[in-house]
Amino acid sequence: MQELHDAPLAPLTTFRLGGPATRLVTATTDDEVIAAVREADATGTPLLIIGGGSNLVIGDKGFDGTALRIATRGLEFSGPSRTTLELAAGEVWTDAVARTVAAGLAGIECLAGIPGSAGATPIQNVGAYGQEVSSTITEVIAYDRRSGETVTVPNADCAFSYRHSRFKQDPERYVVLRVRFQLEDAGGLSAPLKYAETARALGVEAGDRVPAAAAREAVLKLRAGKGMVLDPEDHDTWSAGSFFTNPILTAAEYAAFLARAQDRLGPQTAPPAFPAGEGLVKTSAAWLIDKAGFTKGYGTGPARISTKHTLALTNRGAATTEDLLALAREVVAGVHAAFGVTLVNEPVTVGVSL
Ligand SMILES: Cc1cc2nc3c(=O)[nH]c(=O)nc-3n(C[C@H](O)[C@H](O)[C@H](O)COP(=O)(O)OP(=O)(O)OC[C@H]3O[C@@H](n4cnc5c(N)ncnc54)[C@H](O)[C@@H]3O)c2cc1C
């Protein structure tokens, strides 16, 4: 177990932002992870779990406690047709996706290119291009800080929803150690494509299957065009991906929003609206931001909106976390003033809030 003091955290995040941690521990086995967590809990030391740092906004003052970087490794296929996959929390997610596609399996191919660790995927139920990990995760093996035991949480008990789970709901309780997935052997084909943009890019219809490798490559290409694949040379990717979640509105809230939008932009205006269950409507945060006047590349300071995607706030190289938060607050206030909808940040904030 490696241990550093007064250790910079910015290089461990994709924003490259945030001050130092009093102590930074890197754990490479489950036992090391558990030992570090137990020690912090026994001494009442605040604990920050870090995977790939791609969904973290750490304050400029840093973190006064133990930052625990999970660097465990392990990828194993099992089961009669080798379609069960177990990943150690520290595995690099996008590499694991590539391995499943190379093994001819379907189920997570459209989640290629999402940065970060396998262990973080259940936290916000990562999703993109028509797939979410909640559809393929069977179990999450986690250390439960309340009971001091390692527990197996079946999918049904993970309380997965859009960019949410019981792990995100109760962040002080679980440390994910391993994640198990049930994939599909479709003879090298992908799962049916759910996302129209991916199907279009592949020249097929939504619902069709294509070779899983082709689906993965199409998604990677679409993502790269939006600055959603990490590239150290490209400041558009010095981000946390989407900074805001898509708002989910009640029917009454949506009606009020629609009236505001038509009033502002003309009677023909039809903001994106997708059924989100129980009479709820999901609209698009990117649409709201753009129509409120925050277009691609918005900003003059060291933190700006990506030049490739309205939903990504980015560090142009010399930003501080306060610069980023000032931009985020400006966007939230502008969208609220224009449409009466309050945007909620997707990344986890540490020592700061919007
Ligand atoms: C360019 C870019 C594109 C992105 N695109 C997408 C996308 O398409 N879809 C999407 O859903 N997300 C996307 N994201 C967000 C991010 O990649 C995911 O949320 C990812 O799962 C975060 O993983 P991480 O290991 O980097 O987590 P971190 O940023 O290290 O941590 C995020 C949170 O999870 C907690 N955590 C991490 N590991 C564990 C663990 N083992 N146990 C308990 N808690 C843990 C941390 O404490 C923190 O609260 C994108 C980010 C970037 C930078």
Side-chain angles (χ1 to χ4, degrees), residues 14 48-56 70 89 114-117 119-121 123-124 126-128 163 174-176 223 227-228 230 239-241 346 348:
T14 50
L48 169 64
I49 308 291
I50 303 185
S54 62
N55 216 22
L56 276 176
I70 302 206
I114 299 181
S117 62
T121 59
I123 308 288
Q124 71 155 10
V126 299
R163 296 300 160 273
Y174 297 102
V175 179
V176 175
R223 292 184 66 96
M228 289 292 177
L230 291 185
S239 76
E346 183 183 299
V348 175

Side-chain angles (χ1 to χ4, degrees), residues 109-184:
E109 60 282 0
C110 293
L111 302 175
I114 299 181
S117 62
T121 59
I123 308 288
Q124 71 155 10
N125 180 20
V126 299
Y129 294 89
Q131 289 182 346
E132 282 185 333
V133 285
S134 57
S135 307
T136 41
I137 286 179
T138 52
E139 295 173 331
V140 174
I141 292 112
Y143 176 72
D144 179 350
R145 295 169 67 189
R146 193 176 294 170
S147 67
E149 304 283 338
T150 298
V151 294
T152 299
V153 186
N155 179 302
D157 293 343
C158 291
F160 285 127
S161 61
Y162 168 65
R163 296 300 160 273
H164 210 66
S165 71
R166 75 183 287 177
F167 311 108
K168 187 159 184 181
Q169 182 70 33
D170 204 354
E172 298 295 314
R173 181 160 178 191
Y174 297 102
V175 179
V176 175
L177 300 172
R178 278 159 195 278
V179 189
R180 288 197 187 120
F181 298 83
Q182 184 57 53
L183 303 173
E184 184 194 0

Side-chain angles (χ1 to χ4, degrees), residues 254-273:
Y254 184 76
F257 158 51
L258 181 62
R260 284 279 279 270
Q262 291 184 339
D263 197 34
R264 187 182 163 95
L265 303 168
Q268 305 305 323
T269 305

Side-chain angles (χ1 to χ4, degrees), residues 79-119:
S81 44
R82 304 190 65 75
T83 50
T84 301
L85 170 68
E86 181 173 304
L87 293 176
E91 279 292 326
V92 174
W93 173 253
T94 194
D95 295 350
V97 172
R99 293 273 299 274
T100 67
V101 170
L105 300 177
I108 55 175
E109 60 282 0
C110 293
L111 302 175
I114 299 181
S117 62

